[in-house]
Amino acid sequence: MKEKGQERRLEQLKRHYTAPVPLDDTTPAGERHRFRAPKRPMTLPPLTFAQLKNVMIERSRSGDAVSASSLPNAMSALVQFMAERGFRDDSLIGTHLRASYYKQVAAHVKALREEGRPGAYIRNRKSLVKQWRALVLELDRQAAAQGGTETPLQRALRELLDGGLPLKTVASRARVPHASLKRWLRGSLPQRGKLGHLQSLERFFGQPPGTLTDLLPIARPSAGSESASEAEPPKIAYRARLGEQIKLKYRLKDPCETLVKEWKDFLLHKTSLTASGLKRQKRGKWNTTSRPVKPEDKVQWFESVTFLGQRTICQTAAITWTHFSQYVGWLSLAVESGGAGLPAEAVQSLASLLNREHLEAYIEWRVARAGGVLHRGICSILKLAASICHPVTGYLTQCRNRFPVHPDARDELAWNATCRSAHEGARQLIQHIESTCELSRDPSAPVAAILSLPNPLAAIKDATKRMDAVRPSTGGMAEAIWARDRLMVKLLTSNPLRAKNLILLTIAPSPSGEPAQLREVNGVWRIAIDKKDFKNLAGAAKDRAYDMPVRRELWSDIEAYRDTYRKMLASPSNPYLFVSSKSPDGPMYSLNRQFENISKRYFSDCPGVGPQTMRHIVATTILKMHPNAWAAAAYVLHDREETVRKNYAHLASDDAARWLDEMMTKALSGL
DNA sequence: TTTCCATCATGGCTTTCGCG
DNA sequence: CGCGAAAGCCATGATGGAAA
C-alpha cells in the first residue's frame, strides 16, 4: 500500500521533472554548510534544486506562482541562498527546504547579517526564500495526497526510521523498548520520565540534542512555592508615560467640510479599481471588506466607502486617518502646548503633508513625548507623506487643481518641486528613524518579577491556588464568574493563545456548522484552530495547523465549567467557551480587561496584564527549565522557532550557563 | 463587572521599481 | 537582466480613563 503510494508519487514527479533522480539522499555537503544533517533515509520526493527552479519557471509562466516580474528576484534569492549554504543545482533538496528549513534560513540570515546587509534586505531575502519553500511544500502535498495528520514527533521518528535499519535493530541498538518505539511511531506520546529513551534515539541517529524531545508538549514544571511579597506592585514606566500623554487630546475631531471631501476623494482613489483615473503604485490599493468586525452603528465616515450602492469598510483608511488627524490636530494645537499654533481652518487639508518643516517639527514633538525614543509608530505619518507626495504616483502630485488654496498650486513647476522636496524630506527622515529605531515600551515589564523566577509558571500556579481559596460557594453568578476566570488562567498556561483566539474559542459547533474548537477527541480534550484564524496566518501558522492537547490537569475544570457554570452565563446557543452575562449570545469581548483584573489581584507583584503576557511566561518557563529548547517553546506558542529565538535571546546565555553549571556539578561529583 | 472611547505601539510580510 | 532597495498593505495589541 505504502509502496504503491510511493510509486505513484514517483510517476507524478517524473511527469513534472525532466531528469530521473536517484532515490538515496547523497546531497554533497558544501564547505560552509555546518548544520548538515547526517545521511539518513527519508520518504520525501527526490527533487533537486535545478528541478525546483524549472518548476518555478513553468508555474510562473502559467500564472500559478510568482509574477513574471518577480521571478528574477526569486531566482537571485535562491541562487544566493544556495551559494551561501553550499548547495548546487544537482543537490537534492531533501530536508533543506522542508524540516530543517528554519535552521537553514536562520543560518542564512546570520551569514547575511555578518556580511553587513541591512535589515530590510534580509527581510526581503527571507520572504523570497520562503516562496521556494512554499513551492516545495505544495509539490509535496500534491505528491503525497494524503491527509493524515502526524504529530511532529511521529513525523520526525518516521523520517529517521523510514527505509533504513529495521525497527527492531534500531530499538535494541539504541536501547529503547521496541514496543514503545512502535507506539510512538503510531502517534502516541511518550510517558513522562521516558525522555531518556528519546535522547538515546537522538544520540543513536547522531542528531543534535532536542531534535526529538523538543517536539513534545511541555514538561510539567516542578512545583515551586515562591512566597509572594505583599508590597505595592512596581510602577511601569510606559504606563506612567501613557497616563501623562493621553491627557492632551490633540487629535482633530471635527474636520471641516472641505477636508471631509478631500479625504473621501482620496479614499476613493485608494480603494477604487481604477484609482479614479490617476496613477497609483501597483500595491497602492487599499482593500475593503463588506463584513467589518464592528457593528454597523460603529462604522465611521472616514473608513467607509460606498461603491455601487454597497457600503464597505476599509481598515487601512481607519488607521491612516488616525495618523493624519493627529498630525493636523498638532498643527493647530497652541504653541504653549507644543503645537504649531496654526489657524485650524488653514491646516485642514491633505496639502499640509507637503510642509517639510512642519513634518520635522511634528516628529520631534512626538519623539519628545515618547520620552526621547524613536519608535516605528512615529514613522507612520512620514510614510503617508512620502506616499502622497511621490513624484509619479503621489496623490497630491497628481491632483494640483484639487488644492487651489495652496500657494504653489497655481504653477505646475512649483507644485512639483514642493512635492518632490516633501517626498525626499520624508524619505530621509524615515531612513534615519529606521536605522536608529528602538523600542519605547517593554511589554514584559509588568511581569518582570514573575519572569525573574526560576520557574515563572509556579507564580501562576500560586495565583490559581489563591483563586481556589476565595471561591464564592454561593452557587450563584459570582461562583460562575469565578469558575470562568479560573479556567481562563489555567487554560492559558496549557495553551497560551493570543487574546483574539481565546475570545473566539468555541466549545460548541458554531451556527454556521463549524465544529467546536475545544473538544474531546478519544477522551482527550484538544484545541484545534483553523489556520485562517491566526494572526500569523502568513507566517508560522501557514506551515502548521493548531491542533494541541489541553493538559490533563484541566480536564475536570473544563467539564465542570461546561456542565454547570457556563450555562449560567450564556444562552444555550452560544458557541463560545468564555462568555459573560452582559452579552449572552456573543463572545466575551471584555476578556482582556477581565484578565487584567484577575492578574492584578492574584499574580504577585503584578499591576495587571493582558492575556498576551501568558505567552511570555510560558515560553520563559520552558526556556528556563530547558535552556535552548527553542523548538518546544515555538511549538507551544505556535510561532516560528526563529521568532522565539529572536524574542527570547536574552534567555540563552545566562540560563544556559546556570544549567551547564548544574549539570557539570552533577557529572563531576565525587571527582 | 463590562463597555466604550481614546491613544499609543508594533509586526510581518509582498511586490514592484530604478539603476548599472 | 540581475541586484538592491523602495513602497506600502493590513492588522492586532496594550493601556488609561470614564461611564453604564
Side-chain angles (χ1 to χ4, degrees), chain A residues 252-266 301-302 321 324 328 344-350 402-403 405:
Chain A
L252 176 70
K253 293 295 175 335
D254 304 305
C256 64
E257 267 176 44
T258 54
L259 179 55
V260 171
K261 172 87 169 61
E262 277 182 23
W263 184 262
K264 284 184 174 167
D265 286 344
F266 177 55
W301 70 271
F302 50 78
W321 172 258
F324 178 68
V328 174
E345 57 276 16
V347 296
Q348 291 200 28
S349 165
L350 288 174
R402 289 193 193 170
F403 301 91
V405 189

Side-chain angles (χ1 to χ4, degrees), chain A residues 115-188:
Chain A
E115 282 177 32
R117 305 286 192 177
Y121 175 89
I122 295 174
R123 278 197 295 278
N124 289 336
R125 290 286 136 162
K126 264 165 71 181
S127 162
L128 288 165
V129 173
K130 204 181 87 180
Q131 295 178 346
W132 291 96
R133 168 176 158 86
L135 179 59
V136 172
L137 293 183
E138 168 68 20
L139 292 174
D140 282 356
R141 268 194 297 278
Q142 279 183 7
Q146 48 151 12
T149 49
E150 292 180 301
T151 66
L153 177 68
Q154 206 179 353
R155 182 181 162 84
L157 281 174
R158 188 176 52 71
E159 282 178 359
L160 286 173
L161 285 159
D162 261 13
L165 291 169
L167 193 70
K168 229 168 174 170
T169 315
V170 172
S172 65
R173 299 219 334 234
R175 295 172 191 283
V176 174
H178 180 212
S180 303
L181 189 53
K182 253 167 80 182
R183 263 202 318 279
W184 298 340
L185 270 168
R186 280 206 308 269
S188 57

